[in-house]
């Protein structure tokens, strides 16, 4: 989908909705999302000050297309600077695609990538700051968490997902109430990882380990079964 085609799929009030709710990083809204029987919102954490934005700009013109642009690149709908989908820019999107669709032991086709991402909404939780690098594990402030939780609630009300898949342990720990733990085997030596589930606004959330740490087929297969059970 070209950029101009993607923008044509927006709701007529999409721009005003984002501005009204102080959404700096506009969500990606798959072109088929509104016609899906089961609606999924995928929730990342934040963006880093890296090659994407080396000057640290935070004006709306810089931030608002960050998520849609990254996904258009992953789907082969924008130039990708010759990065392979399995590396660097797209590792999180690609591992998430594998886990949600349950694809292991073979390449993920372009049509499979598009079949998933054109049917979901994707957003990042942190809307008001960057971390300087991936290794920065400093906590976000309570005021920021509270403000971004209000934005999340606006997204839930606007897009009415049936399931939210959250990638960030720090965000999950900040907003999950009355959560339940689900452990799954992630390696041949029996190493375990943990998901948590909870509800917000009566919507099912599943907090999964960050997809980039899923380093084996076993981890992807077992996580897929958990996600599949919650979606279905």
């Amino acid at each position: 989908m070209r950029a101009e085609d993607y923008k044509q799929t927006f709701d007529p009030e999409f721009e005003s909705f984002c501005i009204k709710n102080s959404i700096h990083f506009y969500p990606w809204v798959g072109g088929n999302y509104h016609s899906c029987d089961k609606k999924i919102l995928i929730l990342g954490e934040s963006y880093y000050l890296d090659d994407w934005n080396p000057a640290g700009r935070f004006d709306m013109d810089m931030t608002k297309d960050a998520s849609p642009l990254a996904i258009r690149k992953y789907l082969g709908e924008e130039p990708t600077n010759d990065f392979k989908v399995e590396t660097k820019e797209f590792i999180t999107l690609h591992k998430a695609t594998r886990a949600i669709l349950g694809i292991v032991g073979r390449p993920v086709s372009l049509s499979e990538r598009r079949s998933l991402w054109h049917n979901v909404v994707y957003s990042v939780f942190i809307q008001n700051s960057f971390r300087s690098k991936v290794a920065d594990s400093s906590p976000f402030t309570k005021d920021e968490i509270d403000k971004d939780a209000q934005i999340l609630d606006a997204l839930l009300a606007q897009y009415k997902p049936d399931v939210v898949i959250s990638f960030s342990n720090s965000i999950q720990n900040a907003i999950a109430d009355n959560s339940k733990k689900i452990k799954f085997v992630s390696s041949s030596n029996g190493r375990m990882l943990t998901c948590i589930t909870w509800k917000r606004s009566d919507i099912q959330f599943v907090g999964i380990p960050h997809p980039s740490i899923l380093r084996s087929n076993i981890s992807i297969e077992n996580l897929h079964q958990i996600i599949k059970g919650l979606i279905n």
Side-chain angles (χ1 to χ4, degrees):
M1 183 185 294
R2 300 171 303 168
E4 54 268 33
D5 295 331
Y6 169 71
K7 291 173 182 176
Q8 288 172 10
T9 70
F10 289 165
D11 295 332
E13 299 179 357
F14 178 85
E15 188 96 15
S16 60
F17 163 75
C18 291
I19 293 171
K20 175 184 176 182
N21 290 283
S22 301
I23 300 175
H24 292 285
F25 294 94
Y26 286 12
W28 158 269
V29 183
N32 302 323
Y33 176 78
H34 291 292
S35 62
C36 290
D37 291 333
K38 187 70 73 169
K39 292 181 170 59
I40 301 171
L41 188 152
I42 299 175
L43 186 66
E45 181 186 90
S46 61
Y47 279 91
Y48 304 106
L49 290 175
D50 54 14
D51 294 340
W52 168 77
N53 184 15
R57 286 175 52 191
F58 196 56
D59 53 281
M60 189 73 78
D61 286 340
M62 171 60 77
T63 62
K64 68 181 182 180
D65 196 41
S67 292
L69 177 61
I71 294 175
R72 292 199 305 269
K73 286 184 174 183
Y74 177 59
L75 300 183
E77 295 164 0
E78 294 270 358
T80 60
N81 301 322
D82 297 325
F83 285 122
K84 295 180 179 179
V85 296
E86 295 89 348
T87 58
K88 193 166 180 180
E89 284 187 318
F90 308 122
I91 187 66
T92 296
L93 296 177
H94 201 57
K95 289 289 186 69
T97 300
R98 285 188 175 279
I100 295 171
L101 296 181
I103 299 173
V104 296
R106 63 172 178 81
V108 181
S109 70
L110 187 60
S111 63
E112 287 169 325
R113 279 183 265 157
R114 290 175 175 173
S115 73
L116 173 62
W117 292 94
H118 281 309
N119 287 282
V120 301
V121 169
Y122 174 81
S123 184
V124 291
F125 181 80
I126 296 295
Q127 294 283 334
N128 298 294
S129 75
F130 299 93
R131 283 174 164 172
S132 60
K133 54 188 176 180
V134 174
D136 179 4
S137 58
S138 58
F140 297 110
T141 67
K142 183 180 184 302
D143 285 348
E144 186 166 32
I145 293 293
D146 290 345
K147 184 184 297 181
D148 295 330
Q150 291 178 2
I151 292 174
L152 172 61
D153 288 336
L155 290 167
L156 297 179
Q158 180 77 359
Y159 295 108
K160 299 177 174 59
D162 297 293
V163 178
V164 177
I165 302 172
S166 169
F167 291 169
S168 166
N169 285 333
S170 60
I171 300 306
Q172 294 160 23
N173 292 336
I175 66 172
D177 293 323
N178 300 314
S179 62
K180 296 180 181 179
K181 292 183 178 180
I182 304 175
K183 293 187 177 294
F184 65 97
V185 177
S186 67
S187 68
S188 57
N189 62 11
R191 179 171 175 259
M192 304 294 289
L193 289 174
T194 303
C195 292
I196 64 172
T197 64
W198 74 99
K199 287 193 174 183
R200 184 182 185 92
S201 301
D202 207 33
I203 293 170
Q204 180 67 60
F205 277 66
V206 54
I208 69 173
H210 196 281
S212 65
I213 72 169
L214 302 175
R215 298 188 174 93
S216 71
N217 287 346
I218 294 172
S219 64
I220 292 171
E221 288 172 339
N222 289 341
L223 182 55
H224 169 68
Q225 292 304 317
I226 293 171
I227 295 171
K228 181 181 176 182
L230 290 169
I231 291 175
N232 293 336

